[in-house]
Amino acid sequence: MTDLDRIVRLKTVLARTGLSRSTLYRKISEGTFPRQIPISVHGAGWRESAINRWISDPAKFRAE
């Protein structure tokens, strides 16, 4: 993990990407947006580096 690999929550992801919540989850299910990672029993977040990769080229992003 690099310094950019901090975990960001949903509110931050929506603000950074400009996506709506429903669009974000649709893209996750299609494999065109990074999946969230569990951070607690009821919480999840995204690696900031994965969000940055998506922002740099959303049209070509494919989840690994």
Side-chain angles (χ1 to χ4, degrees), residues 12-33:
T12 304
V13 172
L14 295 178
R16 296 235 7 240
T17 61
L19 298 173
S20 70
R21 184 183 179 122
S22 59
T23 299
L24 176 89
Y25 285 112
R26 179 177 46 80
K27 287 183 164 297
I28 290 170
S29 70
E30 292 170 349
T32 59
F33 195 84

Side-chain angles (χ1 to χ4, degrees), residues 6-17 24-25 33 36-48 51:
R6 64 187 186 124
I7 304 300
V8 293
R9 301 296 302 264
L10 178 63
K11 192 174 189 178
T12 304
V13 172
L14 295 178
R16 296 235 7 240
T17 61
L24 176 89
Y25 285 112
F33 195 84
Q36 62 272 55
I37 57 172
I39 57 176
S40 69
V41 175
H42 297 290
W46 286 261
R47 293 191 189 279
E48 189 170 32
I51 301 306

